[in-house]
Amino acid sequence: MDKHSSMILIDYTKCSPCSGLICVGVCPVGIIEQNENHKPVITDFSSCTKCGVCINLCPTKAIALNRKQENKEK
Ligand code: SF4
Ligand code: SF4
């Protein structure tokens, strides 16, 4: 298992989204942005440091570090 293939993923079935889009505000490298549907999207996976801040602060535990897979909004 290649651990470099892991990446952050947002589970849109769990993201309400929360008031203020916490993850958008907390990412230290600014790669989570709000899209036109007012949902958070990760704009640059290669810049993610996997710091875990967004994972820890999401109130609905909608963000996780997973193996690489599609990250499309459902
Ligand atoms: S793990 Fe850290 S760097 Fe990556 S998206 Fe979340 S807050 Fe940003
Ligand atoms: S912090 Fe969690 S619930 Fe809030 S916008 Fe981000 S993913 Fe959605």
Side-chain angles (χ1 to χ4, degrees):
M1 207 63 69
D2 177 8
K3 65 179 176 184
H4 295 293
S5 68
S6 67
M7 60 192 251
I8 213 86
L9 287 174
I10 298 171
D11 180 348
Y12 291 103
T13 65
K14 294 184 184 170
C15 169
S16 16
C18 63
S19 167
L21 280 83
I22 292 169
C23 57
V24 173
V26 298
C27 176
V29 291
I31 57 163
I32 312 181
E33 293 181 10
Q34 183 179 163
N35 71 6
E36 63 272 18
N37 298 319
H38 306 289
K39 293 271 192 171
V41 287
I42 294 154
T43 57
D44 181 6
F45 290 100
S46 62
S47 296
C48 173
T49 62
K50 297 167 186 151
C51 67
V53 170
C54 59
I55 297 171
N56 292 331
L57 293 181
C58 172
T60 59
K61 304 280 177 230
I63 310 179
L65 196 58
N66 288 323
R67 284 198 302 117
K68 193 164 193 167
Q69 54 182 274
E70 285 205 346
N71 191 52
K72 295 219 172 99
E73 187 173 347
K74 296 220 169 82

